[in-house]
Amino acid sequence: MYFEEARAFISIIPSTVYATIIPAIYYGSEWGFEGKKTAHSDDSLRPHVKLNDLGKQAKHPKLLEAIKQFILVHKNCETLVNGSYETLLVTNEQYAFSRKSTYKTIIVIVNASKKSVKVNIDFKGLSSGVYADLLNTGYTLTSNKTGLSVEVPPCWGRILSH
């Protein structure tokens, strides 16, 4: 699942993936509705949503399923919530960090580009071996001697567990 606009995806990462809080959805944000505050009314801040027409009304109709995926991973992965945090990579379109606990290492990679990219993660104290993607079921990769070389789809990410 990929979004035409990376900012819709990027905006949900902090509260759903690595925050120590329970993610929250506010007034249609799960479908990408943008509320606008005006000087005289809050009506457009909280747009009217017709449940039967969500597919037609939603700016990002796949956003809800993505949020559900993030919440499920967050809920089932203690290391994402309580593991020690380390930034691994920061560029203008990619971001990667790790969360580590005694027995598990999680690497989260976010790609804000509209193109698929290969991201290289050096091992700086990370565990070598096989990593399974918690976000993209069935995707696994084995580290090489120096780290991981990970293909990340456009406007999406990987949550790798070892």
Side-chain angles (χ1 to χ4, degrees):
M1 170 183 332
Y2 311 115
F3 298 109
E4 291 180 19
E5 294 184 35
R7 92 184 159 87
F9 168 66
I10 300 304
S11 68
I12 62 177
I13 287 288
S15 66
T16 57
V17 176
Y18 64 89
T20 57
I21 59 169
I22 296 172
I25 298 170
Y26 181 76
Y27 288 113
S29 61
E30 68 274 32
W31 287 286
F33 290 118
E34 295 177 6
K36 296 187 185 344
K37 185 164 179 64
T38 63
H40 305 290
S41 172
D42 282 351
D43 289 346
S44 57
L45 183 61
R46 297 173 191 88
H48 180 70
V49 177
K50 296 178 183 176
L51 292 178
N52 294 335
D53 292 333
L54 279 176
K56 296 175 191 169
Q57 286 183 287
K59 185 173 182 180
H60 305 286
K62 296 178 181 179
L63 190 57
L64 178 61
E65 288 306 313
I67 291 172
K68 287 179 181 178
Q69 281 183 273
F70 292 132
I71 291 171
L72 186 64
V73 170
H74 182 270
K75 196 168 147 181
N76 293 318
C77 188
E78 179 72 19
T79 302
L80 272 176
V81 178
N82 294 316
S84 62
Y85 174 90
E86 181 181 356
T87 300
L88 301 175
L89 173 75
V90 178
T91 72
N92 63 331
E93 292 186 315
Q94 288 78 41
Y95 174 60
F97 62 89
S98 68
R99 299 282 278 192
K100 292 190 287 187
S101 62
T102 306
Y103 303 105
K104 187 175 281 207
T105 299
I106 302 292
I107 298 173
V108 176
I109 305 168
V110 176
N111 178 20
S113 172
K114 291 185 178 186
K115 296 179 182 176
S116 187
V117 296
K118 186 162 280 205
V119 176
N120 295 309
I121 304 292
D122 293 329
F123 269 144
K124 307 177 197 170
L126 297 174
S127 302
S128 61
V130 177
Y131 283 78
D133 192 338
L134 303 177
L135 190 57
N136 305 283
T137 308
Y139 181 89
T140 61
L141 74 150
T142 304
S143 61
N144 58 34
K145 292 179 182 180
T146 59
L148 290 169
S149 183
V150 186
E151 188 73 28
V152 185
C155 302
W156 196 237
R158 300 221 180 262
I159 303 174
L160 305 172
S161 175
H162 174 69

